[in-house]
Amino acid sequence: MRISIIGSGYVGLCTAVGFASKGHEVICVDIDEEKVKKINNSETPIFEENLENMLKDAISKKLLYATTNINDAIINSDISFITVGTPSMLNGDMSLEYIKKASEDIGNTLEKKNSYHVIVVKSTVLPETTEKIIIPIIEKDSGKIVGRNFGICMNPEFLREGKAISDFINPDRIVIGEYDKKTGDILEKLYKDFDSPIIRTSLKTAEMIKYASNAFLATKISFINEIGNICKKLGIDTNEVAKAMGLDKRISPHFLESGIGFGGSCFPKDVSALINKAKKINYESKLLETVIDINRNQPEKIVEILLKKMDIKGKKIAVLGLAFKPKTDDIRDSPAISVINSLMNKGAKIYAYDPKAELNAKKIIPDINYCKSIGEALDNSDACLILTDWPEFKSLSDKDFSRMNKKIIIEGRKVLENVDNFEGVCW
Ligand code: UGA
């Protein structure tokens, strides 16, 4: 099939190379000319495992190109995915600015297109958004009628950053929310080469499945952090508790890692948006509000442990890891930022190292010392906090830490394997 992807961020680009790898012809659309140029030169604007190889492959087979011209892309495709961002606003609501603009552009182009076109909403949008906002804009601007001249589906993404390509190719499930059977059948056909259950449902149910999935995973993390905070006071290693709990098939071992809390561009934003949506329909989500509260307080736990050991004013604190999780350069809502701000407010001097996230971190926390190596951060430091579980921190040994002034090591994520004396935030 000929596919256009509107919005070439990490979801859009991974979706694009994923479909191209299945032999479909894909056109990526973005308003950012630099990004479009990069994609056409087989360069990835973001860091994502295997993305560059697959992009190179798709371009060399002439199965993918990028453009800023949304009209041409829609005219020359049969199916268009909306993969633009839905960022959080200050009040926790999600911004629909890019969704509305993409819907207007699609509507204006469909006005000139005679053949049936399928639109697939892949951006994360709250229940009722496709029906109450996207469809009316497209109908108004195209003068056409949904179900007759064009079809629409809602097909949420479940891609983890850092693993997005493999999650796209091997999904646990594919959810197709459909306006009508005809459009759902077309989208199911597009996914016929994927070895995964396909769930067909309504548009708003598909939208809710995405939010419920992220809210559940975030709840699981705040739950294990709550247990972890209790364990810490009792001198119990939470990791041992989680390991035994996870062997119960009903619980499962995934997302039971305690630490300094969840970050990233999805969980904090999606849970807050769902809480706000519930409020608007007169429901107070006490559970989800607590999930956010626990997560907000979790980074401070590692600072509290450090303060019990020393006065940090004027001291050199080595920080290993800035990204919200390993294998990404993303620092959006990273708990490391809260930890560093708190340390700086208390007068500490920060020497930070991250294998990938330095450039992005500099935009948000410019006033700390960025180190080019783990050793540079550790040299003569008075304490070390490990805030991201990068694989390269696993092999650190007592010898590496011997360059510290005082050997106070506290982990915010479970990572060290060869070190004798250290403490964890919940262990
Ligand atoms: C998350 C979901 O896992 C994806 O399924 C979803 O598609 C995506 O959001 C999205 O909505 O687009 P992502 O934000 O990339 O993916 O990251 P995760 O791997 O889920 O981790 C999120 C945060 O939770 C990280 O800060 C991680 O360190 C933390 N975490 C995760 C824990 O603190 N404990 C755990 O046990 C697992």
Side-chain angles (χ1 to χ4, degrees), residues 10 157-161 210 214 217 221 255-257 261-263 266-267 270 324-325 413:
Y10 108 97
E157 54 86 11
F158 303 103
L159 311 178
R160 289 165 299 169
E161 271 188 58
K210 166 71 186 191
N214 273 4
L217 293 171
I221 299 170
F255 280 73
L256 277 185
E257 284 166 32
F262 57 79
C266 306
F267 288 168
D270 292 350
F324 83 99
K325 67 174 188 178
R413 306 275 186 206

Side-chain angles (χ1 to χ4, degrees), residues 190-206:
L190 182 67
Y191 280 114
K192 74 175 172 17
D193 294 337
F194 290 75
D195 181 20
S196 134
I198 293 187
I199 313 293
R200 304 260 305 247
T201 184
S202 69
L203 294 169
K204 65 180 173 192
T205 307

